[in-house]
């Protein structure tokens, strides 16, 4: 199985801050990397697919980048509704695997 | 607009079989090139992919659960189902169904999720 490792596990930030979350795969996954946002009591919501493609309806402040083994999700200007847990997931091969999550909290 | 809805018992006894169904509305489970997955999340923990099925019936299961998992599809009812046998407390989790279009290889539509507790 491909292991996905996110960092940090949690972070505190203020509204307006630029936030960066990283995700590393245990082997090359080309650009088969997706990002999800999950709020308490809700199902995850797709933000980015194929490393950098913005899902329809997702604000442009969410930016994905990377390829191979190293990927980044950047929130260019953190908004109050962005406080949540973020997961990366590889879709290069099955079984699909997720990172352990990054909790973005209010500073 | 396609929507997914999980249904099934919220309480299952240890050693018994967990059975859940995902109903697809707003579109046909047979149309398009989509994989239909089950994903679970232990309370307060991360996401674990269980397996998927294609509308043709082909499946792939997570190796860690493969011996206990069956995913099936009923195209006439526009549903797909999960069976997990010999459950224990470790199977207590939120269970989600999700769609993965092969064009984007990402879970673009999720059900709301259903909590299943394994307890006597």
């Amino acid at each position: 199985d491909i292991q996905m490792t996110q960092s940090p596990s949690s972070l505190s930030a203020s509204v307006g801050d630029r936030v960066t979350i990283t995700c590393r795969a245990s082997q090359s996954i080309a650009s088969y990397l997706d990002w999800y946002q999950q709020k308490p009591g809700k199902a995850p919501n797709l933000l980015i697919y194929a490393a950098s493609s913005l899902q329809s309806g997702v604000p442009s402040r969410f930016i994905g980048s990377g390829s191979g083994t190293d990927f980044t999700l950047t929130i260019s200007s953190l908004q109050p509704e962005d406080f949540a847990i973020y997961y990366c997931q590889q879709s290069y091969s099955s079984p699909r695997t997720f990172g352990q999550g990054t909790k973005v909290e209010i500073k | 607009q396609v929507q997914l809805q999980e249904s099934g018992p919220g309480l299952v006894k240890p050693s018994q079989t967990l059975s859940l169904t995902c109903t697809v509305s707003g579109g046909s489970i047979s149309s398009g090139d989509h994989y239909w997955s089950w994903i679970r999340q232990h309370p307060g923990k991360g996401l674990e992919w269980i397996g998927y099925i294609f509308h043709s019936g082909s499946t792939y299961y997570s190796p860690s659960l493969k011996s206990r998992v069956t995913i099936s599809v009923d195209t006439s009812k526009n549903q797909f189902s999960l069976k997990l046998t010999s459950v224990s407390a470790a199977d207590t989790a939120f269970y989600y169904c999700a769609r993965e279009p092969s064009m984007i290889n990402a879970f673009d539509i999720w059900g709301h999720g259903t909590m299943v507790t394994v307890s006597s």
Side-chain angles (χ1 to χ4, degrees):
Chain A
D1 300 4
I2 298 174
Q3 307 303 314
M4 307 301 294
T5 304
Q6 286 180 238
S7 61
S9 297
S10 65
L11 64 91
S12 295
S14 301
V15 173
D17 284 353
R18 182 180 184 90
V19 168
T20 298
I21 300 168
T22 64
C23 179
R24 175 165 287 177
S26 60
Q27 67 181 73
S28 177
I29 57 171
S31 295
Y32 291 90
L33 191 283
D34 312 310
W35 290 98
Y36 301 85
Q37 176 194 67
Q38 187 178 31
K39 296 182 179 179
K42 300 292 187 181
N45 180 53
L46 177 64
L47 301 174
I48 301 285
Y49 63 92
S52 60
S53 296
L54 193 67
Q55 172 69 348
S56 176
V58 174
S60 59
R61 63 181 180 272
F62 291 95
I63 303 163
S65 63
S67 66
T69 60
D70 294 313
F71 301 86
T72 300
L73 174 68
T74 299
I75 309 173
S76 60
S77 178
L78 198 65
Q79 298 302 300
E81 59 268 29
D82 299 338
F83 293 95
I85 299 175
Y86 294 84
Y87 294 95
C88 63
Q89 176 242 322
Q90 64 82 17
S91 51
Y92 179 81
S93 66
S94 294
R96 304 299 198 230
T97 47
F98 294 85
Q100 80 279 17
T102 296
K103 187 173 185 178
V104 177
E105 298 176 297
I106 301 172
K107 194 176 214 177
Chain B
Q1 178 175 340
V2 175
Q3 293 183 315
L4 307 182
Q5 179 66 60
E6 305 89 350
S7 60
L11 181 64
V12 181
K13 287 182 167 48
S15 79
Q16 294 192 342
T17 297
L18 179 159
S19 296
L20 296 175
T21 295
C22 182
T23 300
V24 180
S25 60
S28 172
I29 199 169
S30 299
S31 68
D33 222 1
H34 304 316
Y35 296 92
W36 304 93
S37 281
W38 287 98
I39 297 160
R40 71 180 182 179
Q41 186 171 36
H42 296 100
K45 302 297 184 183
L47 298 160
E48 179 184 17
W49 181 77
I50 298 170
Y52 67 58
I53 191 165
F54 197 59
H55 65 78
S56 64
S58 61
T59 56
Y60 190 102
Y61 303 136
S62 173
S64 65
L65 295 169
K66 185 177 181 179
S67 64
R68 299 193 291 129
V69 170
T70 301
I71 299 175
S72 59
V73 64
D74 187 335
T75 54
S76 67
K77 294 183 178 179
N78 228 29
Q79 296 175 334
F80 63 106
S81 299
L82 168 71
K83 289 191 186 301
L84 182 65
T85 62
S86 304
V87 297
S88 69
D91 296 309
T92 294
F94 287 94
Y95 286 77
Y96 296 97
C97 56
R99 184 184 82 167
E100 179 184 345
S102 61
M103 280 190 66
I104 66 170
N105 287 122
F107 302 113
D108 68 337
I109 300 175
W110 296 64
H112 294 297
T114 188
M115 179 66 192
V116 178
T117 301
V118 179
S119 175
S120 55

